[in-house]
Amino acid sequence: YQRITAGAAGQSQLQPRAIKRQTTSMWKLVLLSAIVGLTVADKVQTLPAAASASAAKSDHDDHDDDHGRGGRGGGGYGRLYTDQIDPRLAANTLRIISLDRKLEDLRRKLDEAEKVDPEEFVQELDARIEHLEGTHCEDHEYQCGDHDMECISDLFVCDGHKDCHNGHDEDPSTCDDAPVKAGNIFSGTSHWTDCLVRHDHVTKIVIIGTIRRKFFPSRIWVRAHVESDLDGEGHAEESSFDAKGYFNFADHRLFLSPTDEEDDDHHYSVDCYFDHGDTHRATCHRVIEASLHECAVLHVDLVGHQ
Amino acid sequence: RVAIRPGVVVFALRSTFVLKMKVLIVLAVLVAFAVADDDHSDCDALTRLKVKGQWRRAYSHGHNREDFAQAIWRAVFAQVPEARSIFKRVHGEDTASPQFEAHALRVLAGFDIAISILDQPAALKAELDHLEEQHKGRKIPDNYFEAFKIALLHVLPAQLGRCWDKAAWSACFDLIADGIKGHH
């Protein structure tokens, strides 16, 4: 299974250009073989003629032949295949053409295969089950994984110092900062259940900038812009605010609270967990900062990088 | 014939009175600011209460407290590695050693006392004098205090997660640090 996915991933990465190159070279091959077929056929016809009679005669014969072909007219291609070209070559040409079509089909299938990645799927199931099982650790603690159920403080995760016995707290997969790269845009539909009366609307979270302190690397400090496309009375309206917060490696949590407290509109904080086992999808809530009371839910997805 | 109505006179008198009052208020505010400026302008009475409350949440308890202390000292030594030499006696070369853990908890305990009595000036003065006495003669450069402040101001929001006031902490930390350094 591992091998299959690795193979699929590898092919899918280089497939579109490679296949294009293959198709063009395929056509070249078909053309070449056709030309070779023609010249070979020509020679086959001239050689016995030269052997049987004088050069002039054979020339004349050839001309005669040409005239005859022209005279009979119309059926040039039919004769090309039946008389001039070796039937086996013609069959091969057809085979190559059908192979070409099959390759095109394969390209489409590879595109499809990319959409359902079994490894990602299993990772997501894994993450969901883990979430249901719980971590056996206290709040603000990170579970080192595997079977020894070790818990360490989330202040130590990804700080460059190995704190778990198995070293999971410094694992590259744990410390992947892909979710909060500056320029990332997460988008999803907000569904309000409390605090505000609003129809479902699209919310975008744009990561503007990040800082990771060398002396305290276990958090990434994030600045972001949160935009909501509201449906006003018959016209589109945008409500947006600047926010700052942090990303915690231990629970893959991105917390953002509004920076401008004197804003007339009251904006709610954004509390996101990348809980799908990947770095591009998150489950977020709009919350009251003080109590973490949930006002709205939105499932966001990374956009604009494909 | 000029008739002066009593109402106008009363109004005029009242307006001068109001003006005087306003000047007085402005003066009082200015004086208050000047006084406050002397004594760490931003670490005022309300700010001290805020810092106290947030410290209680961050300082927590048990194992969590050890980790909190550990994180602060890792961040300190990451900034000023040469500061480890001051802590030779308490195994500063290994922040995870029991000796250093104990020391880190002692430091936080002292800090805890200072913060708990931020709103009791007399008691705070006594504690800061005591801490100054303990640090005297160790020749601690100011940049080590600065490194401790920066470490604290990063680990605190990580520990608290939300609802914390950096400006308040910065001001009140300076008050305590200056007390320990003896820069009154």
Side-chain angles (χ1 to χ4, degrees), chain A residues 153 159 163 213 246 289-290, chain B residues 67 74-75 150 154 158 161-162:
Chain A
S153 165
D159 68 344
D163 293 282
R213 300 286 183 197
Y246 60 90
E289 188 179 356
Chain B
D67 294 337
R74 278 186 194 178
I150 292 172
H154 279 85
R162 59 190 206 287

Side-chain angles (χ1 to χ4, degrees), chain B residues 19-87:
Chain B
L19 206 78
K20 260 185 196 159
M21 273 301 282
K22 270 187 183 160
V23 167
L24 247 165
I25 288 171
V26 166
L27 263 176
V29 166
L30 276 178
V31 167
F33 264 117
V35 168
D37 251 346
D38 272 350
D39 184 25
H40 293 275
S41 54
D42 303 317
C43 191
D44 57 22
L46 284 177
T47 309
R48 290 176 193 212
L49 288 179
K50 188 189 251 183
V51 166
K52 274 182 74 169
Q54 292 179 357
W55 173 254
R56 199 169 57 240
R57 266 201 299 143
Y59 190 39
S60 77
H61 46 78
H63 206 276
N64 220 323
R65 180 175 294 176
E66 285 171 38
D67 294 337
F68 177 56
Q70 176 80 225
I72 291 173
W73 284 101
R74 278 186 194 178
V76 170
F77 291 143
Q79 294 173 83
V80 283
E82 65 277 9
R84 282 183 198 266
S85 60
I86 296 181
F87 300 94

Side-chain angles (χ1 to χ4, degrees), chain B residues 64-145:
Chain B
N64 220 323
R65 180 175 294 176
E66 285 171 38
D67 294 337
F68 177 56
Q70 176 80 225
I72 291 173
W73 284 101
R74 278 186 194 178
V76 170
F77 291 143
Q79 294 173 83
V80 283
E82 65 277 9
R84 282 183 198 266
S85 60
I86 296 181
F87 300 94
K88 254 187 204 138
R89 205 174 49 83
V90 289
H91 295 248
E93 68 282 352
D94 177 15
T95 52
S97 66
Q99 289 88 346
F100 192 83
E101 274 287 354
H103 176 76
L105 288 177
R106 265 199 307 277
V107 171
L108 283 199
F111 204 69
D112 181 47
I113 294 173
I115 288 179
S116 313
I117 53 177
L118 269 177
D119 51 349
Q120 299 163 48
L124 179 65
K125 168 112 183 39
E127 169 67 7
L128 290 181
D129 287 347
H130 170 68
L131 289 175
E132 186 196 347
E133 194 62 37
Q134 283 188 328
H135 288 80
K136 214 178 244 172
R138 293 193 190 276
K139 294 196 181 71
I140 301 169
D142 280 2
N143 70 318
Y144 289 5
F145 281 99

